[in-house]
Amino acid sequence: MTYNLDELEAPAWLNDEFFCNVMRESNNDPTIELTGACVLRPGTNKGDHYASVMFRTTVKYRSKRNNEEQSLNIIMKTKPEADGMKKDLLDDDGMFAIEIDMYSRTLPEMARMLKEIGEEYKYPRYIYGTLKPRTILILEDISDQGWVMGDFISTFDDMKPIVKDIAMFHAASIMIEGTDPTFAGRHGYSMGEKFMAFEGMINKGFGDLMQLTASYPEFAQFAQPLEKFKANLRDFYVSLYNPTKTYQNVLIHGDFHSKNMLHKVDAEGRHTDTILLDYQICCWTTPAIDLYYLLDMIPTQEIKDKHRSELIYMYYQQFADLLKRLGYLGKIPTLLDLQIELLRFAGLEMFHYAIFSSFRYMDQNAIDIEGLLKGEIDNPVLNNPEFKKLMHTELTRFLHQGTLSSV
């Protein structure tokens, strides 16, 4: 196993006294005492997540109320204490405040509404969260309950539970917003400026594409459109996270990719269920953001190429059906409305290809991720024929549909 370096040594304040207090508070039981030491382990493998530091432990405890020893596996997210890009990204508590609110308040309400129409929205159980004196979120660790992390999804059938989850999430959020006038405002936190802080990574991604336009004649036609796109990128990206005026806004997950979900897998290797994780950048805006993540960050390129339209159609059918069953009284947008919205915000997909597509062609354990994110190391895949073919195909599509333009 290769772990994130900042997860190999836990901060001193994550000690038995702290965990005892957490169990007392989360169970509302001051008689709880630990029956053994809590041994901390790294939370995830290297490359599985970026925007936090994670640890796992098992808490064994006994209460005077029933006197039986109990055990709970937990996973916790904290802020980085070592200086660096990760610490800078999480300098304020905004992302933690969002996620604590999501797990303690919004997700339980979504699950309650969906249960009333016979649907089950699963998420890890919230145990504890606070921003003071130190920032931490603690959830039940469900990795021992048959939930496993996967890689890019390689069959259309395995995409189905993922599509269902995001349709449920979006539909339930509309229902909550309809009854809570503060909901949209509370979720107005924009990630646009946060993402733009990855300036080195962005310059590197577009610089690599410009290198292709200079090195290979078949890419030359994209040079001017790419320069124009990048010049307008900040304005586009920041505005992307404002509520849309052209479609029904939803609460987006916002970080909807293959490493932010766990799956139940049957004996034949098929995914029977999926659970979403990492609700730290949820905001009230266009569903196009999550849907481009659905297309670009979750399936293999082959599944995307074969089933792109079908995935959007399946999402829309589920979304519209759920709204009807939840008793939504507003106007449900049409599939055509959704397709136009996707085309309007296709610059996000262009951004995804420029910044992230090369990661599919490299061994992430063998490279310095932070160095790559800062744009400090060379991209090892620029001469990869498969990568070049993909980028030529997709850049041509963006040019033909108007996402890239030299005019």
Side-chain angles (χ1 to χ4, degrees):
M1 292 286 188
T2 313
Y3 297 111
N4 293 299
L5 292 177
D6 51 12
E7 294 175 9
L8 293 177
E9 189 174 343
W13 57 272
L14 281 177
N15 54 29
D16 287 354
E17 181 186 7
F18 172 80
F19 290 118
C20 184
N21 288 331
V22 164
M23 297 316 295
R24 287 173 176 176
E25 186 170 327
S26 64
N27 289 283
N28 194 21
D29 182 352
T31 72
I32 284 177
E33 298 288 348
L34 299 191
T35 57
C38 298
V39 180
L40 276 95
R41 311 181 296 278
T44 55
N45 295 335
K46 184 180 178 183
D48 281 352
H49 72 99
Y50 190 76
S52 58
V53 180
M54 299 179 73
F55 300 97
R56 299 175 194 266
T57 194
T58 301
V59 184
K60 293 181 177 175
Y61 63 98
R62 179 176 281 119
S63 162
K64 287 182 180 169
R65 291 180 181 171
N66 62 18
N67 216 31
E68 277 183 25
E69 185 182 65
Q70 297 182 69
S71 178
L72 179 67
N73 292 324
I74 59 173
I75 186 163
M76 62 216 83
K77 299 172 80 163
T78 67
K79 285 170 69 171
E81 298 193 349
D83 288 337
M85 192 173 176
K86 196 191 275 195
K87 185 177 180 182
D88 294 343
L89 177 71
L90 296 165
D91 195 35
D92 66 39
D93 286 327
M95 288 161 73
F96 274 89
I98 290 169
E99 192 159 31
I100 289 169
D101 184 72
M102 286 299 300
Y103 275 109
S104 63
R105 193 171 167 187
T106 303
L107 293 174
E109 177 60 12
M110 286 182 171
R112 184 196 66 75
M113 296 169 102
L114 289 160
K115 189 176 180 182
E116 287 184 353
I117 61 165
E119 300 289 353
E120 187 178 11
Y121 189 84
K122 299 188 180 87
Y123 57 93
R125 181 162 63 99
Y126 173 77
I127 305 297
Y128 178 83
T130 186
L131 304 178
K132 302 288 179 206
R134 293 181 179 88
T135 306
I136 189 165
L137 168 69
I138 301 180
L139 304 169
E140 183 177 10
D141 180 0
I142 59 171
S143 58
D144 64 335
Q145 298 172 24
W147 294 99
V148 296
M149 186 173 283
D151 207 340
F152 293 114
I153 304 296
S154 57
T155 75
F156 179 68
D157 280 347
D158 286 354
M159 289 295 296
K160 290 177 180 176
I162 300 170
V163 173
K164 177 77 178 284
D165 273 351
I166 203 64
M168 286 197 288
F169 185 75
H170 287 173
S173 76
I174 292 172
M175 300 305 294
I176 294 176
E177 193 271 339
T179 58
D180 180 355
T182 70
F183 187 77
R186 283 204 335 268
H187 294 90
Y189 185 83
S190 169
M191 278 306 297
E193 291 289 356
K194 281 275 190 198
F195 276 126
M196 286 294 109
F198 287 105
E199 200 169 1
M201 178 178 74
I202 292 165
N203 290 336
K204 178 75 179 144
F206 281 92
D208 287 344
L209 292 184
M210 294 309 291
Q211 204 174 315
L212 289 176
T213 68
S215 304
Y216 302 99
E218 67 270 28
F219 281 88
Q221 62 179 318
F222 305 122
Q224 194 181 345
L226 282 168
E227 282 180 1
K228 184 180 175 190
F229 182 89
K230 186 169 182 293
N232 298 319
L233 180 61
R234 176 177 285 277
D235 289 345
F236 166 77
Y237 206 91
V238 171
S239 67
L240 184 64
Y241 286 83
N242 296 330
T244 177
K245 295 179 171 65
T246 48
Y247 192 78
Q248 170 64 57
N249 286 289
V250 301
L251 188 67
I252 62 161
H253 180 280
D255 203 14
F256 186 44
H257 59 75
S258 59
K259 297 293 187 186
N260 277 346
M261 50 191 69
L262 298 174
H263 312 283
K264 284 269 176 83
V265 182
D266 69 14
E268 280 75 47
R270 291 175 300 221
H271 291 193
T272 57
D273 203 355
T274 294
I275 194 169
L276 305 185
L277 309 170
D278 283 2
Y279 293 89
Q280 57 194 16
I281 56 176
C282 297
C283 72
W284 185 253
T285 184
T286 175
I289 296 174
D290 277 349
L291 295 180
Y292 277 127
Y293 272 83
L294 176 74
L295 293 174
D296 302 336
M297 305 294 212
I298 298 173
T300 60
Q301 187 67 37
E302 183 186 8
I303 293 301
K304 178 182 172 178
D305 290 344
K306 282 184 181 174
H307 299 286
R308 179 191 177 92
S309 295
E310 195 175 354
L311 286 166
I312 297 301
Y313 178 75
M314 181 166 62
Y315 160 83
Y316 175 78
Q317 294 291 102
Q318 303 251 24
F319 170 73
D321 176 62
L322 285 159
L323 279 179
K324 286 175 193 162
R325 289 161 57 205
L326 285 165
Y328 181 61
L329 298 175
K331 181 180 181 294
I332 297 175
T334 66
L335 177 59
L336 182 59
D337 293 332
L338 177 59
Q339 295 288 8
I340 293 168
E341 182 79 351
L342 286 169
L343 191 57
R344 185 177 280 114
F345 291 108
L348 178 60
E349 186 169 39
M350 173 63 232
F351 177 85
H352 285 166
Y353 272 99
I355 309 305
F356 299 117
S357 56
S358 61
F359 284 83
R360 293 180 182 237
Y361 296 86
M362 63 178 83
D363 178 1
Q364 293 186 38
N365 288 323
I367 58 165
D368 172 10
I369 290 285
E370 184 151 325
L372 197 69
L373 293 177
K374 286 181 175 176
E376 293 172 349
I377 61 173
D378 286 339
N379 187 334
V381 306
L382 277 191
N383 298 317
N384 181 312
E386 249 187 280
F387 174 74
K388 278 163 47 189
K389 183 182 176 188
L390 170 72
M391 293 314 298
H392 191 273
T393 300
E394 297 301 333
L395 288 171
T396 302
R397 177 168 68 87
F398 291 128
L399 189 68
H400 290 175
Q401 74 183 20
T403 304
L404 286 176
S405 167
S406 54
V407 180

